[in-house]
Amino acid sequence: MMTARQEAFRTAYRAQIAALYDGIVHVALIFLIGGAALWYCVQNIHAPTWLELLVIPIVVIFANVFEWFLHAQVMHRPRPGFMGIYKRHTLAHHQFFTEHEPFHDTTKDYRIVFFPPYAEIAFLVMASAMAYGVSLVWSTNAALILVASAAGMYMNYEFFHWCCHVRDDRIIKHIPFVNTIRRHHIAHHDTAIMMSRNMNLTYPFADWLFGTSDVQRGLLGTLLNGYETRFVRKDLPKVRSSADVTRPAVPAE
Amino acid sequence: MPITVRDLKPGIKPPPRQRNIASLVGGFVIAFGCFVLWLLVASQIVGGRPSAAIIAAGAAFAIAVGVWIRLADL
């Protein structure tokens, strides 16, 4: 159920979205850029060795820890030079979506669900810089696999995040990993734990590794937890927003 | 630039909409990125250096995307 505060924020936020913004174009750009980078890299990989293919799981794990770090230390912490990211995430995204009402209504709301497409360009440039180093000391195949994997992980991130904020879960709730991250991320939108728990957006591996998951399970249990709430820690902090408390007209006896 | 929760104060109207500097810088970044990707994909498809028409189309596409990012204030 949506609180009055959240409803007011949503109304004000939507009123500020530029008229020329289009959610479908936004999403199309993200997947067009990521898809083009992925396709180009794959086209130029020739007879990769098993050792070169090992770059894929390394990138997946590195990207997972990077996503965790960025979310915990930049998106939820006001760092000089990165205030725009903090404002956009903690002060806007987390006000628009709460654990009580975490779903978007229209494609205009994609403005606050997805990262701006230039974040993807920045991510691909970082991956390309690393890949250039890899190509110098190792092989071009490994470098291309690195960039392709990074592009894939970025699109994976955006898709999973959308799955967390879409209302209709008739299909999603049956898909392993997707159902896990959906419960995991919606729980993260609880203001009581948003600064400290459930920082992963793809697979809660780094949350398990660093002990920041809200569930107390082994690695496989954490990754495949789904909607299960039996394993949620009992010692999580709880807050009650005084702004939304409706005071009774007549004091209770 | 869309607001944050700090701009919402009881009884006070939110500030008027103005474009964020991020969408200006981002517009240039994405235009450059799109143009490079366009050239890479085109060279892969044609199997060599793309023609001037293809390069011009890529430039037009990249500029259009960059301008849209700014106008949409992303």
Side-chain angles (χ1 to χ4, degrees):
Chain A
M1 178 172 167
M2 201 175 327
T3 62
R5 175 193 165 101
Q6 185 182 3
E7 199 166 355
F9 182 80
R10 283 190 170 204
T11 305
Y13 186 92
R14 285 171 176 148
Q16 298 270 325
I17 296 175
L20 278 171
Y21 173 78
D22 187 290
I24 301 298
V25 175
H26 183 176
V27 175
L29 263 177
I30 289 169
F31 287 91
L32 209 63
I33 291 168
L38 182 66
W39 179 83
Y40 176 81
C41 291
V42 170
Q43 290 296 311
N44 286 281
I45 296 167
H46 302 293
T49 64
W50 282 108
L51 203 59
E52 287 168 339
L53 287 172
L54 213 59
V55 169
I56 298 172
I58 292 171
V59 170
V60 169
I61 291 171
F62 182 82
N64 191 280
V65 174
F66 181 70
E67 148 200 317
W68 178 91
F69 173 81
L70 202 70
H71 193 180
Q73 298 301 323
V74 180
M75 293 160 83
H76 279 293
R77 296 278 185 280
R79 306 269 186 214
F82 298 98
M83 284 302 287
I85 299 173
Y86 170 76
K87 284 181 180 172
R88 190 179 176 118
H89 188 72
T90 303
L91 303 183
H93 180 77
H94 273 268
Q95 309 301 323
F96 198 96
F97 299 114
T98 66
E99 83 276 22
H100 301 300
E101 183 52 52
F103 310 122
H104 61 75
D105 291 326
T106 68
T107 54
K108 277 271 183 196
D109 292 346
Y110 287 175
R111 171 74 173 71
I112 198 164
V113 174
F114 293 90
F115 281 137
Y118 45 83
E120 185 177 26
I121 298 286
F123 185 71
L124 288 175
V125 167
M126 281 193 286
S128 301
M130 277 192 271
Y132 179 66
V134 167
S135 74
L136 291 179
V137 299
W138 186 7
S139 78
T140 307
N141 263 355
L144 289 164
I145 291 171
L146 191 158
V147 178
S149 306
M153 282 307 292
Y154 190 91
M155 291 187 286
N156 186 168
Y157 176 97
E158 292 286 32
F159 175 64
F160 273 30
H161 190 214
W162 175 79
C163 288
C164 295
H165 290 296
V166 70
R167 190 175 299 276
D168 186 351
D169 71 341
R170 279 175 298 178
I171 297 170
I172 287 168
K173 69 182 174 190
H174 300 296
I175 305 174
F177 299 115
V178 180
N179 53 15
T180 295
I181 206 63
R182 183 173 162 98
R183 188 215 63 80
H184 184 87
H185 186 62
I186 289 173
H188 165 76
H189 272 269
D190 179 348
T191 49
I193 65 167
M194 74 171 179
M195 305 296 274
S196 57
R197 297 278 169 189
N198 297 5
M199 297 300 174
N200 275 128
L201 253 306
T202 49
Y203 313 92
F205 169 76
D207 274 319
W208 169 82
L209 187 67
F210 300 119
T212 54
S213 172
D214 71 333
V215 296
Q216 224 164 2
R217 299 193 75 174
L219 176 59
L220 272 182
T222 303
L223 292 176
L224 297 166
N225 182 72
Y227 279 13
E228 188 60 70
T229 55
R230 274 183 302 155
F231 301 96
V232 174
R233 300 169 65 105
K234 304 285 185 254
D235 58 348
L236 296 173
K238 288 179 174 60
V239 290
R240 185 177 171 196
S241 172
S242 57
D244 294 320
V245 173
T246 308
R247 294 180 191 281
V250 179
E253 289 180 5
Chain B
M1 177 175 91
I3 58 161
T4 68
V5 71
R6 284 184 182 162
D7 303 314
L8 270 191
K9 295 188 176 74
I12 301 172
K13 275 187 176 179
R17 185 169 62 208
Q18 54 184 143
R19 290 198 186 104
N20 192 356
I21 185 76
S23 64
L24 180 64
V25 179
F28 283 107
V29 169
I30 201 151
F32 178 75
C34 282
F35 184 60
V36 170
L37 269 175
W38 181 285
L39 291 184
L40 289 173
V41 170
S43 64
Q44 188 68 35
I45 291 170
V46 301
R49 192 176 182 278
S51 67
I54 292 175
I55 294 171
F61 175 75
I63 290 168
V65 170
V67 168
W68 180 75
I69 291 285
R70 179 60 175 159
L71 295 177
D73 193 27
L74 250 175

